[in-house]
Amino acid sequence: MARGERRRRAAAAEGARPLERARAAGRRDGRAGGARGSASGAALAVVVLALAFGLSGRWVLAWLRVRRALTLHPAPSALPPDSSSPAVAPELFWGTYRPHVYFGMKTRSPKPLLTGLMWAQQGATPGTPPKLRHTCEQGDGVGPYGWEFHDGRTFGRQHIHDGALRLTTEFVKRPGGQHGGDWSWRVTVEPQASGTPSFPLVSLFFYVVTDGQEVLLPEIGAKGQLKSISGHTSELGDFRLTLLPPTSPGDTVPKHGSYNVFWSSNPGLPQLTDMVKSRLNSWFQHRPPGASPDRYLGLPGSLKWEERGPSGQGQFLIQQVTLKAPFSVEFVFESGSAATGGNQASGRLVGSQLTQALESHAAAFKERFEKTFQLKEKGLSPEEQALGQVALSGLLGGIGYFYGQGLVLPDTSMEGSEQKMDPALFPPVPLFSGVPSRSFFPRGFLWDEGFHQLVVQRWDPHLTREALGHWLGLLNADGWIGREQILGDEARARVPPEFLVQRAAHANPPTLLLPVVHMLEGHDPDDLAFLRKAFPRLHAWFSWLHQSQAGPVPLSYRWRGRDLALPTLLNPKTLPSGLDDYPRASHPSTAERHLDLRCWVALGARVLSQLAEQLGETEAAAELGPLAASLEEPGSLDELHWAPELGVFADFGNHTKAVQLKSRPPQGLVRVVGRPPPRLQYVDALGYVSLFPLLLQLLDPSSPRLGPLLDVLADSRHLWSPFGLRSLSASSLFYKQRNTEHDPPYWRGAVWLNINYLALGALHHYGHVEGPHKVQAAKLYHELRANVVRNVCQQYQATGFLWEQYSDQDGRGMGCRPFQGWTSLVLLIMAEEY
């Protein structure tokens, strides 16, 4: 994951592609990325006109490359038409698809109806405004928080710790009608400590937002309470939202609450929190019968539609209810078509009926979880079983639906030319995807998603097909997919403007192929039908990767987009690799050969070749089969990447170890290159990259290279730690070294769960097939699995979070949290599913 870019956002250098490859890209057929039909005709017309006006062929090629970079791929979608609509997938139309907020729901549509929750503890700090909670933030002091249960479709229960408060948010969906059915929320607020003498005064804010011509009609009740909101949209038809009176937890007797309401035009989703903060400027009294009054800050208390914007801007309606904890509040959405379809007869999903539904769904979740992963049967402790449920639930509860236009910088670089281009908008696209972290990375990341779906597909294969189909829908005409998807106002607001641009020359590890491998092995008819539809896009994506990232010699590959060798960088980053600051050749050059990339391409060729054979795609199989065989030929891998002087596989490039950061006032830390000077050689950086032929199981069980890799993996002086495999050898000169004065080490020693998962899968494989290293691999597998599971579980029990990475020194969680993206792979490690 290119976390370094997301933290420090260093400017990445553009990689140059030879002119021959640009021409080859223009000749590719539709399967590998070529545009056809009217689009091709329009492009040809432009070329003819350009030549007629005397414009250079170089200009024409550059124009064509820009056009292709900003054009969607012409292959048919891997998903059915309108696959996100309530008519096609009613059970997925509504969901908790806003992972960056603590609690909220929306529809899977370009112009959704959104609902959400904010809260504030009144008077927690006398003389200061209450802290309004809404979006998940890394440093807001809330936590731990996360989903205890979430089935990805119809039910979820989340706990949120906020100072003296403990909130529980629950939802249940009920099918019916033609518009996605009904749903009900319950939000329970309790003191953190039992027996609290004075109960805190808390305000909950329930809101609904529209984004267009939709109609909202509020109905006011007694004492300012909003009885209900009626509405209509083209996708939802008629609907009603109702906020019920608060009750004591577990009770149905109403409890006294004070109400405030605000109604305005939609200020823009990123401005919702600030708008509510700015309106919390009037003092009101909360006066329950027979009790002394308490002052609180509330919304203006008017149902006048204020600040009416231009037509089509949408509406924002928010209701505030204030009372002392403990209490529960229910918020209900009722679809008009569901009511006429029979839900009305079964009654509104509230009170005891909602309690029964929540308990029933929780029991069903636990039963299905054990049936799927069998943690109890496999002897894992109750604490480890609970961790597994949280890992799955947090990943499913983090799935989001995004829609918008990304910014793309087309690749117009050619030999002998430096053409500068401005970023341009990609066509509007939807994305249904997991996210790495609700607090820090609440959007789609390409190489993370393949790991996410390894977990999801064991639980709900349909969700994985939906996610993969959406990601493949992002393909441009060349076969490129942007590695970070920043779609829509809410996602864009969390990224600095200068870092919104995705570069069409830069790749990312093709981890979406990992769940494809599982699909091929499972022989599920629905999976195979999906893969048949998806094959043209998978082939186009792989073809782009294979061609665009080709290295200096045949069957070598080089990540485009390494940082320039700036005077402040100890080692220029390789952000497209996902391993960010992992040490590469000290002096970037076109002569580099990157081991991990070659292994990813080898895996891709193997998987696509097998898929083509299984689908009867004879032309593709004839192309991919020989490529896969060449890439897996041991002599070729040895020739390009085996470093005899190091005893392991390695990158190759213009490199010297005599590089360090030294203090040079007033500049601060600057890079100093000593002797010997850089030369073309293998890069001495033993770590995750060195293991890639093992990690992706590209080595034969009898390979003479397997033993040395197992030895360095097991050596505590190098990669072995009591908490998992560290990312860089403890003996490396780069171990725990910062890359700049302000950029701490990232992939330079910490333990990462995604690579440890790949390592465990490889050890499990080599420990079960005949070969000279079977016993050693099996022994290492059991020891590494125990170390990883024990540490992740201990850290979860101590902090309440899954973490981005873990210290190789003491096992503590590090980086951002919660990180229920690929760290959720701990569930598959416990279940021994590889």
Side-chain angles (χ1 to χ4, degrees):
M1 182 174 301
R3 307 281 183 234
E5 183 187 28
R6 297 158 210 173
R7 290 187 189 281
R8 301 291 174 236
R9 302 294 183 167
E14 284 293 319
R17 281 199 266 175
L19 181 59
E20 290 75 17
R21 288 191 206 129
R23 290 173 177 153
R27 290 195 298 267
R28 280 182 232 153
D29 65 13
R31 175 162 290 162
R36 293 176 177 170
S38 59
S40 297
L44 179 61
V46 170
V47 171
V48 171
L49 284 172
L51 294 176
F53 282 99
L55 297 175
S56 70
R58 190 179 299 279
W59 182 92
V60 172
L61 283 173
W63 181 88
L64 287 172
R65 294 177 78 168
V66 170
R67 185 177 181 279
R68 292 173 65 80
L70 301 172
T71 300
L72 289 170
H73 196 277
S77 171
L79 298 173
D82 301 319
S83 64
S84 296
S85 70
V88 176
E91 73 285 358
L92 292 176
F93 189 54
W94 276 104
T96 52
Y97 302 141
R98 305 178 65 204
H100 67 293
V101 300
Y102 285 109
F103 190 46
M105 290 175 67
K106 66 183 283 191
T107 55
R108 290 207 305 173
S109 52
K111 288 186 174 291
L113 185 72
L114 297 98
T115 57
L117 171 74
M118 305 181 193
W119 76 89
Q121 183 175 339
Q122 299 277 354
T125 307
T128 62
K131 292 181 179 178
L132 186 66
R133 311 299 198 183
H134 180 212
T135 57
C136 304
E137 304 293 342
Q138 186 75 6
D140 64 359
V142 176
Y145 63 91
W147 294 98
E148 178 187 12
F149 305 122
H150 198 303
D151 66 4
R153 291 178 180 251
T154 60
F155 156 75
R157 177 184 295 158
Q158 176 183 222
H159 300 292
I160 305 169
H161 298 257
D162 181 15
L165 300 178
R166 183 177 190 264
L167 285 79
T168 300
T169 65
E170 302 170 281
F171 78 93
V172 171
K173 290 161 55 181
R174 182 168 63 176
Q178 296 82 48
H179 301 93
D182 302 337
W183 52 256
S184 297
W185 293 2
R186 177 178 288 162
V187 180
T188 301
V189 183
E190 300 170 293
Q192 191 78 258
S194 58
T196 303
S198 63
F199 297 115
L201 187 66
V202 179
S203 292
L204 299 183
F205 303 81
F206 296 84
Y207 67 82
V208 57
V209 187
T210 67
D211 187 15
Q213 301 291 338
E214 301 89 345
V215 175
L216 291 181
L217 295 174
E219 181 182 353
I220 197 71
K223 301 180 181 178
Q225 180 184 356
L226 186 64
K227 287 181 64 177
S228 65
I229 303 169
S230 299
H232 180 91
T233 75
S234 57
E235 288 185 307
L236 288 169
D238 295 328
F239 62 85
R240 180 183 296 270
L241 286 154
T242 306
L243 183 67
L244 275 69
T247 66
S248 294
D251 200 351
T252 57
V253 179
K255 195 172 181 179
H256 179 83
S258 298
Y259 295 91
N260 303 75
V261 68
F262 179 69
W263 188 18
S264 80
S265 296
N266 179 0
L269 298 180
Q271 282 75 49
L272 295 183
T273 307
D274 287 341
M275 171 174 268
V276 174
K277 282 182 180 178
S278 70
R279 294 287 170 168
L280 285 175
N281 53 17
S282 301
W283 287 100
F284 295 85
Q285 282 196 343
H286 172 65
R287 189 190 295 269
S292 58
D294 290 288
R295 293 206 320 157
Y296 71 95
L297 280 169
L299 295 167
S302 167
L303 259 183
K304 176 185 176 183
W305 185 358
E306 301 187 28
E307 300 176 4
R308 184 187 298 264
S311 177
Q313 184 175 336
Q315 300 177 52
F316 173 48
L317 207 161
I318 185 167
Q319 168 107 45
Q320 174 184 0
V321 56
T322 303
L323 66 159
K324 285 190 173 184
F327 63 88
S328 293
V329 179
E330 296 173 4
F331 188 48
V332 182
F333 174 88
E334 297 169 282
S335 167
S337 65
T340 58
N343 281 7
Q344 190 172 28
S346 57
R348 182 187 282 178
L349 196 57
V350 299
S352 59
Q353 189 174 352
L354 176 57
T355 299
Q356 183 179 354
L358 289 168
E359 292 175 351
S360 173
H361 277 282
F365 176 92
K366 289 185 278 191
E367 181 180 350
R368 178 182 169 191
F369 181 86
E370 176 58 23
K371 183 178 180 181
T372 303
F373 299 105
Q374 300 176 333
L375 298 191
K376 182 178 181 181
E377 182 179 322
K378 292 173 181 177
L380 283 101
S381 69
E383 293 78 15
E384 290 165 335
Q385 295 173 47
L387 170 64
Q389 293 177 359
V390 165
L392 173 66
S393 299
L395 180 57
L396 294 171
I399 291 175
Y401 183 85
F402 311 93
Y403 186 88
Q405 293 180 270
L407 274 174
V408 174
L409 184 65
D411 174 26
T412 59
S413 58
M414 293 178 285
E415 287 183 356
S417 170
E418 273 298 322
Q419 291 187 273
K420 299 296 182 182
M421 290 292 301
D422 291 328
L425 284 172
F426 199 67
V429 287
L431 179 62
F432 183 68
S433 175
V435 303
S437 170
R438 292 170 61 192
S439 65
F440 210 77
F441 306 117
R443 51 194 177 276
F445 290 92
L446 179 56
W447 98 289
D448 295 61
E449 190 62 11
F451 291 108
H452 298 165
Q453 294 307 321
L454 286 172
V455 180
V456 173
Q457 71 183 162
R458 265 75 170 190
W459 175 257
D460 192 332
H462 178 74
L463 289 181
T464 293
R465 293 190 291 270
E466 281 284 309
L468 294 187
H470 274 85
W471 273 100
L472 292 173
L474 304 176
L475 219 64
N476 78 355
D478 286 323
W480 167 83
I481 301 176
R483 57 196 177 88
E484 181 174 350
Q485 295 298 321
I486 308 165
L487 305 175
D489 292 342
E490 288 187 288
R492 194 174 299 116
R494 297 177 74 95
V495 180
E498 63 269 28
F499 305 124
L500 294 171
V501 178
Q502 301 299 296
R503 289 162 172 79
H506 297 180
N508 219 202
T511 61
L512 297 185
L513 296 176
L514 298 177
V516 169
V517 171
H518 185 70
M519 289 179 174
L520 278 171
E521 294 172 347
H523 304 292
D524 182 323
D526 291 334
D527 281 344
L528 294 178
F530 169 80
L531 290 175
R532 186 174 297 280
K533 291 182 179 180
F535 182 77
R537 289 178 174 270
L538 287 168
H539 187 196
W541 182 41
F542 172 76
S543 296
W544 176 85
L545 178 70
H546 163 58
Q547 295 176 25
S548 70
Q549 309 296 297
V553 298
L555 300 180
S556 71
Y557 297 88
R558 175 174 63 87
W559 293 111
R560 304 309 195 262
R562 281 202 71 189
D563 287 355
L564 297 171
L566 300 175
T568 56
L569 297 177
L570 177 62
N571 187 270
K573 291 182 180 179
T574 313
L575 299 173
S577 73
L579 302 178
D580 292 21
D581 66 345
Y582 188 97
R584 307 280 182 165
S586 61
H587 291 65
S589 72
T590 57
E592 283 183 74
R593 306 196 296 258
H594 292 136
L595 171 62
D596 54 332
L597 178 53
R598 188 191 193 278
C599 293
W600 283 120
V601 175
L603 175 71
R606 174 200 286 179
V607 173
L608 268 294
S609 175
Q610 292 173 350
L611 181 56
E613 289 281 355
Q614 188 159 339
L615 297 177
E617 296 279 353
T618 54
E619 184 179 340
E623 167 205 334
L624 293 162
L627 175 62
S630 297
L631 286 166
E632 294 194 50
E633 203 280 313
S636 171
L637 180 61
D638 278 4
E639 179 183 353
L640 294 174
H641 288 289
W642 181 258
E645 65 273 26
L646 304 177
V648 291
F649 292 103
D651 283 349
F652 182 87
N654 191 27
H655 181 65
T656 177
K657 293 195 291 185
V659 177
Q660 55 183 315
L661 290 178
K662 287 191 173 182
S663 180
R664 291 285 189 270
Q667 301 102 311
L669 291 179
V670 298
R671 172 165 128 147
V672 175
V673 181
R675 291 186 176 278
R679 63 178 175 86
L680 290 178
Q681 61 178 312
Y682 290 107
V683 179
D684 183 5
L686 175 59
Y688 284 168
V689 165
S690 317
L691 298 179
F692 259 83
L694 164 71
L695 298 175
L696 299 185
Q697 301 175 33
L698 300 175
L699 299 177
D700 187 271
S702 60
S703 168
R705 307 306 185 201
L706 186 55
L709 291 187
L710 293 177
D711 289 341
V712 298
L713 180 153
D715 192 334
S716 61
R717 296 170 301 173
H718 294 304
L719 303 185
W720 191 269
S721 87
F723 315 104
L725 298 181
R726 56 173 66 95
S727 43
L728 190 64
S729 169
S731 302
S732 171
L733 294 174
F734 289 94
Y735 175 67
K736 293 194 177 298
Q737 293 297 306
R738 59 177 53 250
N739 206 46
T740 72
E741 187 171 359
H742 306 290
D743 196 357
Y746 202 43
W747 292 85
R748 296 183 179 177
V751 174
W752 293 80
L753 257 288
N754 62 328
I755 303 298
N756 274 266
Y757 174 80
L758 292 178
L760 283 162
L763 292 171
H764 187 270
H765 167 71
Y766 291 113
H768 281 81
V769 295
E770 292 303 321
H773 309 291
K774 178 180 179 180
V775 173
Q776 183 185 12
K779 179 176 181 293
L780 290 172
Y781 167 76
H782 291 294
E783 292 176 0
L784 179 60
R785 176 177 175 269
N787 287 348
V788 170
V789 171
R790 180 175 58 251
N791 187 62
V792 174
C793 190
Q794 287 177 349
Q795 292 302 309
Y796 175 72
Q797 290 177 318
T799 67
F801 286 119
L802 297 184
W803 292 80
E804 183 181 14
Q805 52 180 203
Y806 295 87
S807 168
D808 65 314
Q809 297 295 307
D810 56 18
R812 64 186 170 82
M814 303 192 303
C816 67
R817 80 308 176 262
F819 195 90
Q820 288 177 263
W822 63 38
T823 302
S824 295
L825 288 165
V826 69
L827 168 58
L828 298 189
I829 294 171
M830 290 190 290
E832 299 190 87
E833 290 272 354
Y834 303 105

